């Protein structure tokens, strides 16, 4: 036995030890509690929290079942994706989604996160930004590289340049690195590493130039839209590695980067730093706040008979209100498409030598229904004002425009060039979607009644199918349809306006390739049907570049599709996809759009999504214009005034 005073001492010591070790044990057991309330966390600490949630085979099975149902029955490019055509200028890997899902289910994942990310990555690989899976549980942290890079043309070389540093997340980042050239990353030639990264980590486009632009960060990133998931220096998901090594060379003191005089190069190891979301204290509360779906009862599988869709949750997800952190300036959309909230459009007349040039900066076509009238009024007033001020040339800046409402795009084309015939499009047939469309017609409800095919009444445009070859399969489609903009037009009273001032050659599309969805269709129509030339911005030097991406046609998201099913009373349909067991959403293309052709044949080589349409000329960011969009526009104005970007006839 120990003397009592010692016992007491030990007991007190023991008390301290046990308090300390209980806290440590709690932290070990609960890695989320360890970082809760902190502004930032290290990569490892954030990873420990995200990987705390165990892989669950039931959750995996239910998730995969829903994705498989949607991709098999509704995703219009499912078959062509599995064995795509070879298109010069596009990088299209073959992805058999169903087979990929089988492989994912066969794996014994170490955590739920790893499983969820594998699913997201599989859909990403199709390089169609409309096709996505977003597990919101694992999109709450924001991961930053404290060094943000842009790509600049400097002395005729495209270089990776430090655009800015984020010393608010990592105090060791030095302001003096801004303007330094990054020559190597992780021991590879910097440009090689970046191009590889763009090819392997970015699912935005089939054009690698667009992916390249998407992962770089210009300081004054001038448009609000970003899918915010997979940049070189900014992630919504856990990055693949903890650090990157950057080798930099900085201009000698008192010299400019273009003078090409450098101090000794040096290498820094830069960590990914996680910004921690608010609203959780422990792993359990993290799960409750960000992961748990209203469709998942604690110990119950989702089965058709037990669920009713939780409309509140679907709406929250659909409106993108699922992120605890907003990244300050970067407008986060739940998937790549739409969701931007004004300003939609700006008219800017340039000054000085360029005063005869006006810019129409169209940031988004996602016009909220209550804004439609203002949007059309402002567009026409803008053109009238340009006309009154003697503007002779127009730069139509469509960079970083994620699309939105097809009818808003239609309005812009028609205002400039009177009417354009709509491009042919069709929707993949399935017996399930037939039931949906028939019910929609019966109830005169949901968007499924907005499609028309001349000569077909009611839902017969869908039920009288056509067959085309897609990949190695023969696939059934609806009759060619167009989207009726009647109901859109009914909501606005448009002033009569006829453009007599600007010809096609007076207009120039400017795009960094990140003009997606509706934007892509508008840009392609302007270029292909109205001969408006297009200037590509950025990308990899020496490659020809597309000015638009994911022109697939029209996309839907599970959250809105399920709301449609609820409205139509089709929740119990045996083929209806079940909601995800975790908070998540997916998007897919359901309508495919064709290029204008003299006669419609339904061939996959006529699909816009699988066509390369190159820009006619090109411009790059440089040291002068990268941080100032007005300077970039002035550089573009010089080209348009000199007539140096004529239409190139590729055919
Ligand atoms: C969280 O923040 C507190 C207070 O700043 C700090 O003492 C603690 O080390 C941080 N925890 C982690 C895991 O970084
Ligand atoms: C995908 O692969 C599976 C199994 O290999 C095959 O049965 C199926 O036809 C493929 N799907 C497509 C769309 O090619
Ligand atoms: C970065 O450099 C460190 C130190 O030289 C090295 O240990 C590490 O493996 C490098 N990391 C990468 C990703 O290249
Ligand atoms: C969920 O369903 C699967 C098969 O449908 C079954 O194997 C599993 O035991 C169920 N899990 C629970 C918790 O009921």
């Amino acid at each position: 036995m120990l003397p009592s005073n010692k016992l007491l001492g030990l007991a007190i010591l023991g008390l301290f030890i046990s308090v300390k070790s209980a806290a440590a044990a709690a932290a070990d057991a609960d890695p989320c509690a360890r970082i809760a309330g902190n502004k930032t966390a290290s990569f490892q600490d954030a990873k420990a929290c995200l990987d705390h949630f165990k892989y669950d085979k039931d959750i995996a099975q239910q998730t995969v079942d829903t994705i498989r149902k949607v991709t098999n029955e509704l995703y219009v490019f499912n078959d062509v994706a599995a064995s795509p055509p070879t298109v010069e200028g596009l990088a299209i890997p073959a992805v058999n989604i169903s087979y990929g899902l089988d492989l994912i289910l066969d794996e014994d994942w170490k955590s739920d996160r790893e499983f969820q990310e594998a699913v997201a990555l599989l859909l990403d690989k199709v390089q169609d930004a409309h096709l996505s899976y977003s597990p919101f549980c694992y999109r709450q942290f924001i991961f930053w590289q404290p060094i943000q890079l842009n790509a600049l043309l400097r002395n005729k070389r495209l270089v990776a340049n430090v655009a800015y540093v984020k010393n608010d997340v990592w105090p060791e980042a030095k302001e003096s690195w801004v303007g330094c050239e990054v020559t190597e990353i992780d021991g590879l030639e910097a440009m090689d590493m970046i191009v590889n990264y763009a090819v392997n980590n970015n699912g935005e486009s089939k054009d690698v130039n667009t992916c390249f632009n998407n992962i770089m960060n210009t300081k004054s990133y001038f448009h609000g839209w970003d899918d915010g998931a997979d940049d070189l220096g900014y992630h919504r998901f856990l990055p693949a590695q903890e650090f990157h090594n950057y080798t930099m060379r900085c201009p000698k003191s008192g010299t400019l980067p273009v003078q090409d005089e450098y101090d000794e190069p040096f290498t820094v190891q830069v960590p990914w730093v996680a910004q921690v979301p608010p609203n959780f204290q422990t792993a359990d509360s993290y799960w409750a706040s960000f992961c748990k779906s209203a469709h998942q009862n604690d110990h119950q599988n989702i089965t058709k008979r037990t669920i009713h869709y939780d409309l509140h949750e679907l709406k929250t997800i659909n409106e993108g209100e699922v992120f605890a952190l907003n990244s300050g300036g970067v407008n986060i959309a739940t998937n790549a498409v739409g969701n931007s909230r004004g300003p939609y459009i700006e008219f800017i007349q340039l000054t000085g030598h360029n005063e005869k040039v006006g810019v129409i900066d169209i940031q988004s076509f996602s016009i909220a229904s209550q804004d439609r009238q203002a949007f059309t009024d402002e567009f026409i007033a803008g053109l009238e004002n340009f006309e009154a001020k003697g503007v002779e040339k127009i730069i139509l800046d469509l960079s970083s425009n994620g699309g939105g409402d097809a009818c808003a795009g239609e309005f812009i084309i028609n205002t400039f060039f009177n009417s354009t015939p709509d491009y042919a499009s069709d929707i993949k047939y399935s017996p399930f979607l037939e039931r949906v469309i028939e019910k929609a017609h019966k109830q005169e409800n949901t968007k499924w009644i907005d499609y028309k095919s001349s000569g077909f009444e009611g839902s017969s445009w869908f039920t009288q199918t056509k067959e085309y070859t897609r990949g190695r399969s023969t696939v059934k489609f609806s009759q060619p349809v167009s989207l009726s903009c009647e109901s859109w037009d009914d909501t606005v009273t448009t002033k009569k306006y006829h453009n007599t001032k600007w010809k096609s050659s007076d207009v120039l599309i400017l795009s960094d390739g990140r003009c997606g969805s509706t934007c892509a269709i508008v840009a392609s129509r302007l270029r292909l049907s109205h001969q408006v030339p297009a200037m590509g911005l950025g990308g990899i030097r020496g490659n020809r570049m597309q000015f638009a991406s994911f022109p697939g046609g029209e996309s839907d998201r599970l959250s809105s599709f399920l709301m449609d099913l609820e409205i139509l009373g089709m929740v119990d349909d045996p083929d209806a996809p079940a909601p995800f067991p975790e908070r998540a959403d997916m998007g897919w293309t359901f309508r495919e759009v064709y290029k204008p052709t003299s006669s419609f044949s339904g061939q996959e080589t006529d699909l816009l999504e699988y066509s390369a349409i190159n820009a006619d000329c090109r411009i790059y960011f440089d040291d002068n214009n990268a941080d100032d969009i007005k300077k970039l526009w002035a550089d573009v104005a010089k080209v348009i005034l000199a007539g140096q970007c004529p239409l190139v006839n590729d055919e």
Side-chain angles (χ1 to χ4, degrees), residues 72 78-83 95-100 102 470-473:
N72 279 349
N78 189 54
D79 302 274
V80 63
S83 106
V95 182
N96 180 325
I97 298 167
S98 186
Y99 181 63
D102 286 340
R470 290 288 183 267
R472 294 202 197 86
S473 325

Side-chain angles (χ1 to χ4, degrees), residues 17-36 48-49 52 281-284:
I17 289 168
S18 77
V19 166
K20 217 178 153 209
S21 62
D28 284 346
D30 190 338
C32 296
R34 210 169 113 74
I35 54 174
C49 173
H52 176 72
Q281 294 75 39
T282 60
D284 284 348

